[in-house]
Amino acid sequence: MVRAAVLPAVGAPLEITDIELPDPGPGQVRVRLAAAGVCHSDLSLSDGTMRVPVPAVLGHEGAGTVVSVGEGVTGLAPGDGVVLNWAPSCGACHACSLGEVWLCANALSGSADVYARTADGTDLHPGLNVAAFAEETVVPVACTLPLPDGIPLTDAALLGCAVLTGYGAVHHSARVRAGETVAVFGVGGVGLATLQAARIAGASTIVAVDVSPEKEALARAAGATEYVVASENTAREIRTLTGRQGVDVAVECVGRAVTIRTAWESTRRGGRTTVVGIGGKDQQVTFNALELFHWGRTLSGCVYGNCDPARDLPVLAEHVRAGRLDLSSLVTGHIALEDIPTAFENMLAGKGGRALIVF
């Protein structure tokens, strides 16, 4: 039995309870969590914005130590450190055949599996495959990545979602070039990682935008050269900061229609707007045909930073070891499992960066 945060039904409060976790079967690995990040996607799963089978143990950004391995698992042994990969590619679908593994059609198929049970025998599903809101979890070996050398296990949890997403949004989706100007909308965990990635890419002016004035210090520490408190004048302010042109690249990390529209309007003619935030179906964004022609901007979605975790994790680790990427600065609160609801409330209120559960 291990303690876990269980979502009993969509919209219901999380229940911190003991669950029965089986030994790993063929091709599976049991992992003792060192840390797990609380991501906005977890909130989106709990409130039904994104759908997964329930009851479920949420949590998809984590790292830990291998406890045991099932039959047929090679390359991992008890005691090895791993980063959890919530979206493993199948290698066989159309997207995978194109090398676009972040769009794998089967990446989340494991969420429908039963992986554990409550004390009364109720079947549990593994949130986004990995069920990281628990002291231990059992996952397919494909959902693990070797812990890079020199990266503390607790910090490594952030690599599994926030950092891969923010880094990939800048380097793979928007493809920011040295000297370009960038605006980042939303200074949460992913937004802070995006700001650091823009700095690593060599962006000249980096504008951070958030509803909270209190986040300015966090944003500037991550690489922002300018800070704008979101208002109806945000796009105008950003154009003023960039010689009335607008930024070369805007990255939206919120997932709200008004923010996406503002990011678009903040982008220069011919620039690129990348949407990372996950919004609900009710968030409708409208454009007219003339502006699409006139502005010549590119608007693109971005899934998991358009990353291949196996390829990109070693790159991120090298940035960490070289001091270019600071993982600990993304975290504004170390919490326990019982504190996840408060972390959700803080996200809704726009407070802080990443909350990190430390086991």
Side-chain angles (χ1 to χ4, degrees):
M1 304 290 285
V2 299
R3 287 182 63 72
V6 175
L7 178 70
V10 172
L14 291 178
E15 298 177 354
I16 310 302
T17 186
D18 289 335
I19 66 171
E20 183 179 347
L21 198 63
D23 292 331
Q28 292 184 324
V29 180
R30 183 164 178 151
V31 177
R32 181 179 299 114
L33 273 296
V38 182
C39 178
H40 203 281
S41 296
D42 299 309
L43 177 60
S44 296
L45 291 169
S46 71
D47 66 17
T49 300
M50 298 168 62
R51 292 285 184 175
V52 292
V54 290
V57 175
L58 302 183
H60 61 280
E61 179 184 86
T65 303
V66 174
V67 175
S68 57
V69 301
E71 181 183 350
V73 173
T74 59
L76 282 179
D80 289 347
V82 293
V83 177
L84 297 180
N85 175 17
W86 61 270
S89 57
C90 71
C93 70
H94 181 64
C96 287
S97 72
L98 297 175
E100 298 172 351
V101 297
W102 53 91
L103 299 179
C104 175
N106 301 305
L108 297 181
S109 61
S111 295
D113 295 340
V114 172
Y115 94 111
R117 289 179 173 81
T118 61
D120 65 5
T122 302
D123 290 343
L124 291 173
H125 302 281
L128 290 179
N129 285 326
V130 298
F133 287 173
E135 294 170 330
E136 295 186 12
T137 187
V138 173
V139 299
V141 68
C143 287
T144 64
L145 297 162
L147 176 71
D149 292 339
I151 309 299
L153 195 54
T154 301
D155 289 349
L158 301 163
L159 295 171
C161 183
V163 180
L164 276 170
T165 300
Y167 178 87
V170 168
H171 291 267
H172 299 322
S173 180
R175 302 192 180 193
V176 175
R177 299 181 289 267
E180 288 192 312
T181 55
V182 176
V184 178
F185 290 76
V187 184
V190 173
L192 289 169
T194 304
L195 289 168
Q196 290 204 44
R199 173 177 48 74
I200 290 170
S204 54
T205 299
I206 304 174
V207 185
V209 183
D210 199 274
V211 296
S212 172
E214 288 75 22
K215 289 188 179 181
E216 181 172 358
L218 275 174
R220 290 189 180 276
T225 61
E226 309 289 344
Y227 192 81
V228 173
V229 178
S231 72
E232 61 183 15
N233 297 317
T234 295
R236 185 177 302 134
E237 289 185 57
I238 290 175
R239 287 196 296 271
T240 298
L241 291 169
T242 53
R244 301 187 182 278
Q245 297 300 311
V247 290
D248 297 302
V249 171
V251 183
E252 199 273 358
C253 302
V254 181
R256 296 183 62 230
V258 65
T259 317
I260 294 169
R261 179 72 209 191
T262 303
W264 165 266
E265 293 174 356
S266 302
T267 306
R268 68 165 174 84
R269 194 176 187 190
R272 292 101 67 201
T273 305
T274 292
V275 179
V276 175
I278 301 173
K281 293 179 180 179
D282 60 327
Q283 296 293 313
Q284 298 291 317
V285 189
T286 60
F287 307 91
N288 66 61
L290 182 59
E291 70 173 314
L292 291 173
F293 161 78
H294 173 75
W295 289 104
R297 297 166 175 144
T298 300
L299 177 68
S300 62
C302 178
V303 178
Y304 203 6
N306 294 10
C307 276
D308 177 346
R311 174 198 66 198
D312 292 318
L313 195 63
V315 175
L316 293 175
E318 182 53 36
H319 284 307
V320 174
R321 289 190 291 263
R324 294 184 291 267
L325 180 59
D326 182 0
L327 299 178
S328 61
S329 68
L330 306 180
V331 179
T332 54
H334 293 88
I335 65 173
L337 276 174
E338 291 78 7
D339 301 318
I340 297 174
T342 301
F344 282 174
E345 292 173 6
N346 288 338
M347 280 192 286
L348 286 170
K351 296 180 180 178
R354 198 50 127 217
L356 189 68
I357 304 162
V358 178
F359 295 93

